[in-house]
Amino acid sequence: MSLLKGSSKHLAKVFPRPDEGEMIPVQFIEIQEKLAGWSPQLKRSVYVDDFKDTEGLKRVREVSLLKVYNWFLDGESLIELSDIERVQFEEVMDTYIKHGGEILFTRKRIDGRFVNYFILNEETRGTKADVNKISMAEILGH
């Protein structure tokens, strides 16, 4: 399972779009329900909370906007999820909460189009023996 394929610049973006087979390690921050629409002036999707703010936008739809920490970017990334993609993410997240590991974001080609897809890398699961106990005083050097 390769995390990188060639240059990783396109993975270190606010809206990453990995190619099939490329994986981005991510950490869940939050998920929000938004209205999304295409802005011809800005030539990109715009996300708003209220329907009155969709004036001038094309193809307005309800989406789930997933905010994650992208380890390649070393910052926050946003991933727009369809209902099916959200269900798949939530299943991976449930397993992650129960068993640990590392969540990887990729895209898969299904029926000729790319869909967002999440994988739980179980090889990175830690055990209690892997954790070193340390007090706050030791961390602060007291």
Side-chain angles (χ1 to χ4, degrees):
M1 179 171 10
S2 170
L3 292 179
L4 284 176
K5 182 172 89 177
S7 173
S8 63
K9 281 186 174 181
H10 66 288
L11 303 177
K13 292 187 172 190
V14 174
F15 288 95
R17 296 178 59 88
D19 291 329
E20 195 167 22
E22 291 180 318
M23 299 190 196
I24 302 172
V26 296
Q27 182 69 45
F28 172 75
I29 297 175
E30 70 177 341
I31 196 162
Q32 301 175 342
E33 299 301 318
K34 295 281 187 177
L35 293 170
W38 179 257
S39 170
Q41 294 83 14
L42 300 174
K43 295 186 178 11
R44 66 176 178 89
S45 290
V46 175
Y47 301 94
V48 296
D49 293 314
D50 197 327
F51 191 76
K52 67 180 167 113
D53 297 329
T54 63
E55 187 175 327
L57 300 180
K58 298 182 181 280
R59 298 187 309 270
V60 176
R61 64 212 179 275
E62 292 180 3
V63 299
S64 297
L65 196 59
L66 176 65
K67 186 186 293 187
V68 296
Y69 184 85
N70 177 339
W71 291 97
F72 289 151
L73 177 62
D74 197 18
E76 292 179 4
S77 285
L78 300 171
I79 304 166
E80 184 180 314
L81 300 178
S82 69
D83 290 340
I84 293 170
E85 293 167 341
R86 180 177 176 150
V87 168
Q88 194 270 328
F89 169 75
E90 288 173 346
E91 289 171 358
V92 169
M93 190 67 192
D94 287 345
T95 304
Y96 168 78
I97 290 168
K98 291 175 188 167
H99 303 289
E102 178 181 43
I103 299 174
L104 302 172
F105 166 56
T106 188
R107 295 188 312 151
K108 283 177 117 175
R109 186 177 295 272
I110 298 177
D111 295 331
R113 61 182 284 253
F114 280 107
V115 295
N116 295 319
Y117 194 77
F118 298 88
I119 298 167
L120 184 63
N121 182 0
E122 298 178 17
E123 295 171 10
T124 58
R125 285 186 187 170
T127 63
K128 288 184 181 179
D130 294 336
V131 177
N132 294 327
K133 289 187 179 181
I134 188 166
S135 70
M136 185 59 81
E138 290 173 316
I139 293 171
L140 297 174
H142 290 93

